[in-house]
Amino acid sequence: MNIIKKLIENHELTKEEYIKLLDMVDNPAVVEALKGAAVRLKKEHYGNKVYTRGLIEFTNYCKNGCYYCGINRENREAKRYRLSREEILSCCENGYELGFRTFVLQGGEDPYFTDDRMVELIREIKEKYSDCALTLSIGEKSYESYRAFREAGADRYLLRHETASEELYRKLHPEEMKLSSRKECLYQLKELGYQVGAGFMVGSPGQAIEHLAEDLLFLKELKPQMVGIGPFIPHHDTRFAGEKAGSVEMTLFLLSIIRILLPKVLLPATTALGTLDPRGREKGLCAGANVVMPNLSPVKNRKLYDLYDNKICTGEEAAECRGCLSRRVESVGYQLVCERGDAI
């Protein structure tokens, strides 16, 4: 059985087979076969629906020194901010009126936002918007912290593993950060009943096809409900400033593979994809993605949540952002819906 047929029928491959498959990224027939299978699976489970997540980037302070990230602790040029409780609730109110039924609180690992502060915030958002899902994306915490957030009402947690390769993880992160800790956090989140999101960068400095094969094996083992992948984009104030960006084509290829690997997964067409290609998000939807994440953060703060260079949609109001995305989604035959969009 050839590997494309095997992937489509069995929803998994060996590491060696993934390496062979990823080497075919420039083969149009292979790209189309995977894309066709991915879209069939997506429509089988989710129809033409594309789910929105209202992103609230509430702090750009971070205690970590990840070498690729524009808000890492070493970047003295970053202008730091934290949204107040009132500002965060105002973002939710605005989003709710626009039809968002999932809010994503995303930030650096900021010690100011203690467990008590987060629990209070989570409770308040869930009391006001009980029909909405709340996703957290605030990094590595203790089991006790994750449990407290879950008990307060958090539904989902995004924690990109960035790479499943120990060797590559070391090249991208300072010594005190450990891949084993990141993976342990993901398994703890699953154990606590969160809908869990993992994910990785495509084309990060030093990444080889073997590393991507390891990511795919790890995703199949973890079985997350959400997977966020996007091309690496350098930031001018990091040690990787001179590196070239990841490939849009490989990212799209991987979206199709991940949809086949995990047919019911919630899969975003990311902002990074739209940053490197003006129609990147539309192409992502046509490759198997079914989620978009417009920004609900106050416009005055958007440019400051500066993970990588040239990020799109930093000047638009949330309503503009949503309207624009809605038209983009319709242009490729899908429909932006006002639903929580839980994993099946």
Side-chain angles (χ1 to χ4, degrees):
M1 187 191 299
N2 76 37
I3 51 178
I4 300 161
K5 188 162 180 264
K6 182 178 173 184
L7 177 66
I8 292 167
E9 289 183 7
N10 298 351
H11 306 288
E12 64 182 321
L13 296 173
T14 65
K15 183 177 175 179
E16 292 66 31
E17 287 167 333
Y18 282 129
I19 291 168
K20 262 190 212 162
L21 183 61
L22 291 167
D23 252 336
M24 300 181 201
V25 65
D26 296 324
N27 182 321
V30 174
V31 171
E32 286 308 311
L34 292 179
K35 198 192 286 187
V39 168
R40 272 196 308 280
L41 285 167
K42 176 177 69 164
K43 289 186 173 176
E44 188 181 310
H45 296 295
Y46 294 105
N48 279 338
K49 292 178 178 180
V50 171
Y51 300 109
T52 51
R53 312 300 192 214
L55 192 58
I56 303 167
E57 297 163 334
F58 69 104
T59 174
N60 74 346
Y61 283 85
C62 191
K63 68 181 178 62
N64 292 332
C66 306
Y67 302 148
Y68 48 84
C69 181
I71 64 168
N72 82 75
R73 67 179 179 226
E74 308 298 336
N75 185 3
R76 303 283 175 250
E77 301 302 312
K79 293 184 175 65
R80 305 290 176 174
Y81 74 92
R82 292 183 182 106
L83 297 188
S84 66
R85 172 188 152 276
E86 292 74 22
E87 285 176 309
I88 293 169
L89 290 170
S90 169
C91 292
C92 292
E93 186 182 356
N94 183 19
Y96 194 83
E97 285 168 7
L98 290 168
F100 289 93
R101 293 300 177 263
T102 290
F103 302 124
V104 181
L105 287 182
Q106 184 171 80
E109 291 192 26
D110 181 354
Y112 171 83
F113 285 97
T114 59
D115 287 2
D116 288 347
R117 283 194 170 109
M118 286 307 300
V119 162
E120 196 180 324
L121 192 54
I122 291 162
R123 283 205 179 114
E124 196 160 1
I125 291 170
K126 288 297 285 192
E127 275 164 21
K128 281 197 160 133
Y129 306 102
S130 57
D131 56 335
C132 293
L134 181 61
T135 303
L136 302 178
S137 182
I138 51 175
E140 293 181 23
K141 305 285 178 186
S142 69
Y143 184 86
E144 290 69 33
S145 301
Y146 289 147
R147 184 168 59 196
F149 303 156
R150 182 84 182 111
E151 286 170 357
D155 303 282
R156 305 174 183 151
Y157 205 103
L158 300 177
L159 183 65
R160 298 212 325 190
H161 63 279
E162 299 304 359
T163 174
S165 157
E166 191 69 58
E167 169 209 10
L168 186 57
Y169 199 86
R170 286 274 51 81
K171 288 180 183 169
L172 301 174
H173 300 91
E175 196 54 46
E176 74 274 6
M177 294 184 73
K178 302 271 188 284
L179 177 58
S180 56
S181 307
R182 183 65 52 122
K183 286 183 172 181
E184 187 182 0
C185 286
L186 284 162
Y187 282 107
Q188 288 176 347
L189 289 161
K190 284 204 84 173
E191 189 186 315
L192 286 162
Y194 284 91
Q195 290 180 41
V196 174
F200 55 90
M201 291 181 289
V202 179
S204 55
Q207 187 183 68
I209 279 180
E210 289 78 5
H211 299 135
L212 291 170
E214 287 176 46
D215 284 314
L216 295 170
L217 289 171
F218 174 63
L219 289 177
K220 190 64 179 181
E221 178 196 299
L222 179 68
K223 295 184 174 59
Q225 286 90 349
M226 305 170 276
V227 175
I229 70 166
F232 163 76
I233 302 176
H235 185 284
H236 61 280
D237 285 325
T238 67
R239 65 171 64 187
F240 294 139
E243 298 284 341
K244 70 179 201 319
S247 153
V248 169
E249 288 68 33
M250 181 59 92
T251 306
L252 296 169
F253 197 58
L254 282 158
L255 283 173
S256 296
I257 292 170
I258 292 165
R259 169 63 64 199
I260 298 166
L261 201 63
L262 301 165
K264 296 178 181 177
V265 78
L266 293 159
L267 197 57
T270 57
T271 303
L273 205 45
T275 298
L276 285 188
D277 183 321
R279 285 185 61 79
R281 287 172 297 180
E282 292 93 320
K283 288 176 182 177
L285 296 174
C286 294
N290 66 331
V291 172
V292 288
M293 297 175 75
N295 206 323
L296 290 177
S297 310
V299 171
K300 67 182 172 66
N301 301 111
R302 288 195 193 171
K303 281 189 168 67
L304 305 179
Y305 199 79
D306 190 23
L307 306 184
Y308 51 80
D309 287 346
N310 305 316
K311 191 173 160 193
I312 55 170
C313 301
T314 53
E316 293 178 342
E317 295 288 350
E320 289 178 288
C321 235
R322 187 185 172 91
C324 166
L325 263 181
S326 185
R327 290 188 294 277
R328 285 172 173 272
V329 166
E330 283 166 17
S331 78
V332 286
Y334 295 101
Q335 184 195 358
L336 212 55
V337 293
C338 297
E339 296 176 24
R340 280 172 54 118
D342 286 302
I344 295 171

